[in-house]
Amino acid sequence: EDQVTQSPEALRLQEGESSSLNCSYTVSGLRGLFWYRQDPGKGPEFLFTLYSAGEEKEKERLKATLTKKESFLHITAPKPEDSATYLCAVQGGSQGNLIFGKGTKLSVKP
Amino acid sequence: GAVVSQHPSWVICKSGTSVKIECRSLDFQATTMFWYRQFPKKSLMLMATSNEGSKATYEQGVEKDKFLINHASLTLSTLTVTSAHPEDSSFYICSARKSHATEAFFGQGTRLTVV
């Protein structure tokens, strides 16, 4: 059964304190791994798609990496506006839908 | 960009009434749309997948007669919650995907409160 586990559940950082969020997955035939950002009361906002192990993508202070078992979302020198819940999802096999993790709630204090 | 608009953003309805939520892809044609439900501090739970012009595929445990999904065009899908009850109160989110693409883009979500 396809499964996505995100850790930690919550993360509190000081502004400028870099850290990483983890997404571990088991899926038959990975078609893509996705990172989204979700603000309270809003729909998820697309950040990255990773397709194969070794792939990396960057956007501003965020960098996503992928191995055969997990993905990391690295946040460098975060700012308070980076506070949000970060969701990881996988698409595998013949299914078209995404399997989501429960997310990591990130809080960045000034 | 790929913009998905969901309407309304919030709705309050009386128990026993029906509520329709719209999901529109504004700048692309979406052959597939997905409807999710999200509970507080929980992951997004897929309710159903709809392909334009065909019947929606519902996930196990989701009542198709209660959650009516219509995907009549390549830019519009609707979710109707029929005979709503307080336990149907939740955050409903749609997403849309272009044909031959893997990325799905999400609407803003609809907060449904049944009183």
Side-chain angles (χ1 to χ4, degrees), chain A residues 63-84:
Chain A
K63 179 181 177 181
T65 62
L66 180 66
T67 72
K68 290 185 177 180
K69 295 182 179 181
E70 59 191 350
S71 176
F72 289 95
L73 184 65
H74 306 279
I75 301 178
T76 302
K79 297 181 178 181
E81 52 262 42
D82 294 323
S83 297

Side-chain angles (χ1 to χ4, degrees), chain B residues 75-94:
Chain B
T75 59
L76 174 64
S77 176
T78 60
L79 168 67
T80 302
V81 183
T82 62
S83 187
H85 291 285
E87 56 264 32
D88 298 324
S89 298
S90 189
F91 192 56
Y92 292 88
I93 312 174
C94 73

Side-chain angles (χ1 to χ4, degrees), chain B residues 61-82:
Chain B
V62 179
E63 298 176 59
K64 60 181 66 176
D65 293 331
K66 180 168 187 61
F67 299 99
L68 301 179
I69 292 172
N70 183 278
H71 191 166
S73 78
L74 286 172
T75 59
L76 174 64
S77 176
T78 60
L79 168 67
T80 302
V81 183
T82 62

Side-chain angles (χ1 to χ4, degrees), chain A residues 21-69:
Chain A
L21 282 55
N22 178 265
C23 171
S24 297
Y25 66 92
T26 54
V27 64
S28 54
L30 179 71
R31 295 175 62 187
L33 184 141
F34 305 83
W35 283 98
Y36 290 88
R37 168 190 170 131
Q38 187 176 25
D39 292 298
K42 304 289 185 182
E45 174 190 342
F46 173 77
L47 293 174
F48 303 108
T49 308
L50 300 168
Y51 295 102
S52 58
E55 189 175 2
E56 298 182 354
K57 288 191 177 176
E58 287 188 66
K59 180 181 180 181
E60 296 180 352
R61 295 177 292 281
L62 300 176
K63 179 181 177 181
T65 62
L66 180 66
T67 72
K68 290 185 177 180
K69 295 182 179 181

